[in-house]
Amino acid sequence: MAARLLRPASQETYEKVFGMVYVGLMANVLLAVSCAPLLLALAVVRDPLASWPFFVVLSGFCAPALAGVFGCFAALGSGAASEVWRPFRDAYRRAFGRALAVWFGGAAVLVVLGFDAVIVARTAWGPALAPFFVTAAVLVVSTVVAVIVVLATAETPVRLRDVVWPCLCLVARRWYLAAANAVVLGLAVAVVSVQPVVGLFVACAPLLYVVFGNTRATVAPLSER
């Protein structure tokens, strides 16, 4: 047993490990470059909440960037560990317009939910509806991410109207994965906010890979059609 534990790993194992680390680091760099306008605005503006409509528009850069990162993860699963730029570029281009559409659609729903939550919070029965608003927000975010994953990994072009409703149903059915994704995404945003360099160039890829894996498991029935 001791001999087996101390035996060096095979060269293939080392190649896979270094390939995954390389893909993660490069995915972080490509994500940061793709979201550069949003990151620059966040660094310049002192109070982003006061200019939230402006940042909602700038957040659209995240949609195709996430599609590109998910495309890198999908290529990693297929064994193309050395390829980073090409899968990112292909997924970015393939999902660009539809990813923006579903992103801004989800953002509009979240804005409406936010306004309603602020109004309801002033009433006596507002706290009783807090779970509803939290659940609805998590469902919207998870559905948007699920659609982007489908768009980024689909071998053939798909229409939004063919995947939005199925993704919503699958996310609601596997709500525990949606809740886990919400926690991981919240952690990613928190890390980037507190330590931007560490968050963008180290932590983002592992956290997004967890979200990618959970989401692929959630939308797996779509690939069986």
Side-chain angles (χ1 to χ4, degrees):
M1 182 63 69
R4 291 182 179 180
L5 293 176
L6 296 176
R7 186 175 56 187
S10 63
Q11 182 179 357
E12 183 180 358
T13 302
Y14 286 118
E15 290 178 354
K16 288 182 178 180
V17 171
F18 285 113
M20 292 180 64
V21 173
Y22 172 73
V23 170
L25 292 176
M26 290 303 300
N28 284 336
V29 172
L30 293 173
L31 179 65
V33 172
S34 301
C35 299
L38 174 61
L39 299 175
L40 180 62
L42 287 173
V44 172
V45 178
R46 294 183 179 180
D47 187 9
L49 291 178
S51 306
W52 66 266
F54 173 70
F55 284 97
V56 168
V57 175
L58 282 183
S59 70
F61 286 98
C62 298
L66 283 177
V69 171
F70 293 151
C72 291
F73 294 156
L76 179 63
S78 63
S82 61
E83 292 288 339
V84 180
W85 164 246
R86 185 177 300 174
F88 184 93
R89 179 199 62 191
D90 293 344
Y92 191 99
R93 290 180 176 178
R94 182 168 58 247
F96 185 85
R98 291 164 295 169
L100 282 178
V102 71
W103 182 275
F104 285 124
V109 175
L110 290 177
V111 169
V112 173
L113 288 173
F115 276 116
D116 290 344
V118 171
I119 295 174
V120 171
R122 301 174 182 175
T123 63
W125 39 272
L129 292 178
F132 164 77
F133 288 107
V134 173
T135 302
V138 170
L139 187 63
V140 171
V141 172
S142 299
T143 302
V144 170
V145 173
V147 173
I148 292 177
V149 168
V150 172
L151 295 176
T153 58
E155 297 181 357
T156 58
V158 295
R159 296 178 297 182
L160 278 181
R161 62 182 181 181
D162 294 335
V163 295
V164 172
W165 179 250
C167 285
L168 176 61
C169 295
L170 290 172
V171 167
R173 180 183 301 175
R174 300 189 176 183
W175 57 269
Y176 47 91
L177 293 179
N181 284 345
V183 173
V184 174
L185 289 173
L187 179 60
V189 173
V191 173
V192 172
S193 301
V194 176
Q195 295 289 340
V197 176
V198 175
L200 288 173
F201 296 104
V202 178
C204 268
L207 294 176
L208 289 178
Y209 189 79
V210 174
V211 174
F212 174 75
N214 289 340
T215 306
R216 283 291 292 269
T218 300
V219 301
L222 292 180
S223 61
E224 298 175 358
R225 291 185 174 183

